[in-house]
């Protein structure tokens, strides 16, 4: 059972997803219309784009060799965004471009010309999710009209790290509003500020959430890499559905200060990239202890200055891999892909051991949801109290949405916000009990499984193929998914492309113990290099029988 509670079905913690059915995506006339606009996309928006599928290494080689400057690369990405995000298939992944992007690129070009290169991200355009503060001309809104116009006074800690690394802050990506913590009937990738982000593979399919825009932008080569955030599934699920690599690091490896929160227990930012190497480069640039986020002190001595040194194409040889046995069977089109992935792991020298983590964690869903409800109210009130936003409390947000219902809530309501607002503070015994049950239970399940069979990691299906976007009924997922165990435990999780089902990407999850990112990168990279299953999207229109 997939219990990405707030991500998928806010209050439906006791229901198996197999009880839901896929809804029809669009009417026949609308399908034809979308097929014309998306399925027949001009080649100039796909393979012929100069930076299509370009890695960080490719871009660095072009800059060091004098073929392109950071300014030229930034201009190309800005044109790409205009061509396919604002026009063409209208993916709506980018909610705002940075008016200072070209001037930042110019400054970095001058540094390079003077012989100063800060590192692998020098001059590389990066998109960030619209719940991450940037102390510039761009807004930070979590996709909510209630926060429209809010410009942060300073950068989030991870944005400061990005700038120090020499990255070009290209813009901000759309997301599921309030990181999909507004309603039990929400639609992934939709926000009242940015509208509906579309899946780049089949444009009437969900991009998943909440880091929808970041996933689609990376997959469609609107940037080299992007940053998402996750509480439970919001990096790995959209990465899976966009056919890219997503990293949900150990909670504490990356600072959360300056990020609009859901949960102090589970929140983390994470890299989203087209390759494992690029994800490893970005993670190292973002990691660091932050005095404003106490949990990051736990990462001292555990983070790595360079995760790329752990990338080994033969890294699966001699490893012991736990395979979530419930994912080896079932009706999901992801199952045959998973079976093939497991066979490949074995062929690459790994020993396969069947495990059942979900059996141990399925009962923790209600406790997790209660943790999120309590921590959301506390975290959002603290964030808004010091922000320059027009609303100052969660109650203000609820009131704004009610007063502006036609624009703020045209498709689904805000019962999750209202449920959170009704709760008391973090001193509540109910909250403390929920934290203990959720976090400790998930950690016991993962740690005991890893230790019992001396496993290097556990693999599973990240999630099944994307269902249709449904603004009337909300998200409706079917099949397996594996975000919750690592999310509740605060442990690392990497997803890598595992193949396509009916043209829709599916990811393979690698989950390990706390601060095991280095070893997970080794395994994920070895699988990636042996499988080579990343396929660039072509913005196909709706599937019509």
């Amino acid at each position: 059972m997939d219990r990405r509670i707030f991500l998928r079905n806010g209050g439906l913690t006791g229901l198996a997803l197999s009880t839901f059915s896929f809804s029809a995506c669009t009417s026949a006339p609308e399908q034809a219309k979308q097929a014309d606009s998306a399925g027949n996309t001009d080649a100039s928006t796909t393979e012929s784009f100069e930076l299509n599928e370009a890695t960080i290494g490719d871009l660095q080689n072009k800059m060091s060799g004098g073929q392109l400057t950071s300014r030229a690369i930034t201009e190309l990405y800005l044109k790409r965004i205009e061509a396919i995000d604002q026009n063409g298939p209208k993916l709506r992944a980018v909610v705002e471009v940075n008016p200072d992007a070209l001037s930042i690129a110019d400054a970095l070009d001058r540094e390079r010309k003077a012989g100063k290169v800060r590192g692998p991200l020098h001059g590389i355009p990066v998109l960030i999710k619209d719940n991450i503060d940037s102390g510039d001309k761009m807004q930070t809104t979590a996709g909510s009209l209630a926060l429209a116009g809010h410009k942060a006074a300073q950068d989030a800690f991870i944005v400061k790290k990005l700038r120090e690394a020499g990255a070009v802050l290209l813009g901000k990506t759309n997301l599921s509003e309030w990181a999909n913590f507004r309603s039990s009937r929400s639609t992934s990738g939709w926000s009242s500020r940015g509208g509906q982000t579309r899946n780049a593979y089949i444009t009437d399919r969900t991009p998943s959430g909440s880091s929808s825009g970041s996933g689609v932008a990376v997959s469609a080569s609107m940037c080299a890499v992007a940053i998402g955030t996750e509480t439970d599934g919001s990096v790995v699920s959209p990465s899976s559905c966009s056919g890219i690599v997503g990293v949900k690091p150990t909670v504490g490896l990356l600072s959360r200060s300056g990020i609009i929160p859901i949960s102090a227990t589970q929140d983390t930012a994470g890299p989203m990239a087209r390759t494992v190497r690029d994800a490893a480069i970005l993670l190292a640039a973002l990691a660091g202890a932050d005095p404003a986020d106490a949990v990051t002190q736990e990462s001292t001595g555990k983070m790595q200055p360079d995760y790329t040194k752990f990338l080994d194409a033969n890294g699966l040889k001699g490893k012991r891999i736990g395979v979530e046995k419930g994912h080896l069977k079932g009706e999901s089109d992801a199952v045959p892909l998973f079976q093939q992935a497991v066979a490949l792991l074995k062929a690459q020298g790994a020993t396969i051991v069947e495990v059942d983590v979900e059996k141990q964690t399925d009962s923790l869903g209600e406790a997790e949801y209660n943790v999120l409800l309590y921590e959301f109210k506390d975290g959002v009130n603290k964030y808004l109290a010091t922000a320059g936003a027009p609303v100052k409390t969660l109650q203000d947000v609820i009131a704004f949405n009610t007063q502006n219902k036609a624009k703020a809530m045209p498709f689904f309501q805000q019962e999750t916000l209202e449920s959170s607002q009704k709760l008391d503070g973090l001193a509540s015994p109910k909250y403390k009990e929920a934290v203990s049950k959720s976090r400790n239970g998930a950690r016991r399940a993962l740690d005991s499984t890893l230790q019992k069979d001396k496993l290097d990691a556990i693999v599973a299906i990240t999630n099944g193929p994307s269902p249709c976007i449904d603004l009337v009924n909300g998200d409706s997922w079917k099949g397996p998914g594996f975000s919750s165990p690592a999310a509740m435990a605060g442990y690392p999780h990497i997803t890598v492309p595992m193949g396509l089902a009916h043209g829709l990407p599916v990811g393979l999850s690698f989950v390990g113990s706390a601060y095991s990112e280095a070893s997970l990168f080794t395994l994920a990279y070895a699988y990636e290099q042996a499988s080579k299953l990343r396929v660039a999207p072509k913005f196909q229109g709706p599937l019509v029988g």
Side-chain angles (χ1 to χ4, degrees), residues 514-531:
Y515 297 103
S516 64
E517 283 82 0
S519 60
L520 291 183
F521 273 125
T522 299
L523 303 175
Y525 180 77
Y527 172 76
E528 174 194 55
Q529 295 304 299
S531 61

Side-chain angles (χ1 to χ4, degrees), residues 42 84 115 169 184 297 417 513 538:
D42 187 88
I84 66 171
L169 196 56
S184 60
Q297 305 307 314
L417 301 186
S513 57
K538 295 185 179 179

Side-chain angles (χ1 to χ4, degrees), residues 15 24 33-34 82 97 137 197 219 364 372:
L15 298 180
K33 180 181 177 182
Q34 289 187 18
E82 182 180 5
V97 294
K137 297 172 185 174
T197 298
S219 188
L364 306 179
L372 305 188

Side-chain angles (χ1 to χ4, degrees), residues 335-367:
V335 170
L337 298 177
F338 185 55
Q339 293 169 341
Q340 293 165 20
V342 172
L344 180 57
L345 296 174
K346 188 174 182 179
Q348 291 298 306
T351 298
I352 301 302
V353 179
E354 291 189 9
V355 300
D356 195 349
V357 173
E358 288 184 327
K359 184 178 181 180
Q360 303 173 66
T361 59
D362 273 349
S363 63
L364 306 179
E366 183 177 358

Side-chain angles (χ1 to χ4, degrees), residues 74-388:
T74 303
E75 286 176 336
L76 284 168
Y77 280 130
L78 290 171
K79 290 177 181 177
R80 175 74 163 176
I81 292 167
E82 182 180 5
I84 66 171
D85 203 64
Q86 302 170 15
N87 297 288
K90 294 184 179 179
L91 299 176
R92 294 181 182 145
V94 180
V95 73
E96 184 173 8
V97 294
N98 186 358
D100 297 326
L102 292 176
S103 62
I104 294 171
D106 286 339
L108 292 164
D109 283 334
R110 289 192 293 270
E111 286 188 13
R112 184 182 293 271
K113 190 174 181 180
K116 178 183 178 181
V117 177
R118 302 188 189 192
L121 286 179
H122 189 107
I124 302 296
V126 179
L127 287 166
I128 66 173
K129 189 175 176 181
D130 180 34
N131 61 349
I132 303 173
D133 285 349
S134 59
D136 52 23
K137 297 172 185 174
M138 293 191 291
Q139 300 178 52
T140 305
T141 70
S144 173
L145 289 180
L147 271 68
H150 168 234
K151 295 179 181 178
Q154 61 183 16
D155 287 339
F157 184 85
I158 60 170
V159 174
K160 292 179 185 176
K161 298 281 288 182
L162 262 187
R163 294 192 198 270
E164 290 168 2
V168 176
L169 196 56
L170 185 63
K172 294 199 174 181
T173 57
N174 196 26
L175 70 159
S176 310
E177 186 169 322
W178 289 107
N180 233 349
F181 204 67
R182 203 190 87 181
S183 170
S184 60
R185 291 178 51 254
S186 62
T187 302
S188 289
W190 184 90
S191 73
S192 57
R193 181 189 178 197
Q196 178 65 54
T197 298
R198 298 179 180 181
N199 191 303
Y201 289 82
I202 300 177
T203 56
D204 66 345
R205 296 278 168 163
T206 180
S208 189
S210 65
S211 303
S212 318
S214 293
V216 171
V218 169
S219 188
S221 291
M222 293 185 229
C223 59
V225 291
I227 300 175
T229 65
E230 173 162 331
T231 305
D232 187 337
S234 290
V235 164
V236 295
S237 183
S239 294
S240 173
C241 292
S242 284
I244 63 172
V245 176
V247 180
K248 197 287 289 188
T250 305
V251 173
L253 188 64
L254 304 187
S255 167
R256 289 88 52 85
S257 64
I259 301 177
I260 298 175
I262 289 180
S263 166
T265 301
Q266 296 184 194
D267 284 354
T268 180
M272 302 173 77
R274 289 183 293 275
T275 68
V276 173
R277 181 175 295 276
D278 282 0
I281 290 170
L282 185 53
L283 183 65
L286 299 175
D290 175 11
D293 186 355
V295 73
T296 62
Q297 305 307 314
E298 298 174 7
S299 69
T300 302
K302 299 172 184 174
M303 66 183 70
Q304 298 291 335
D306 179 10
Y307 285 98
T308 64
K309 68 181 182 181
F310 299 99
L311 306 183
D312 179 2
N314 297 311
L316 283 163
K317 188 174 182 179
K319 299 298 192 299
R320 293 178 60 81
I321 306 296
V323 173
E324 185 65 25
K325 66 180 182 181
H327 291 196
L328 288 167
K329 57 186 178 181
E331 298 179 358
S332 171
D333 290 322
V335 170
L337 298 177
F338 185 55
Q339 293 169 341
Q340 293 165 20
V342 172
L344 180 57
L345 296 174
K346 188 174 182 179
Q348 291 298 306
T351 298
I352 301 302
V353 179
E354 291 189 9
V355 300
D356 195 349
V357 173
E358 288 184 327
K359 184 178 181 180
Q360 303 173 66
T361 59
D362 273 349
S363 63
L364 306 179
E366 183 177 358
E368 180 193 15
Y369 187 53
N370 285 330
V371 169
L372 305 188
L373 286 173
Y374 273 98
E375 292 185 346
F376 181 73
K377 178 182 179 180
D378 180 76
V380 166
N381 282 342
K382 286 176 179 175
Y383 177 89
L384 293 176
T386 58

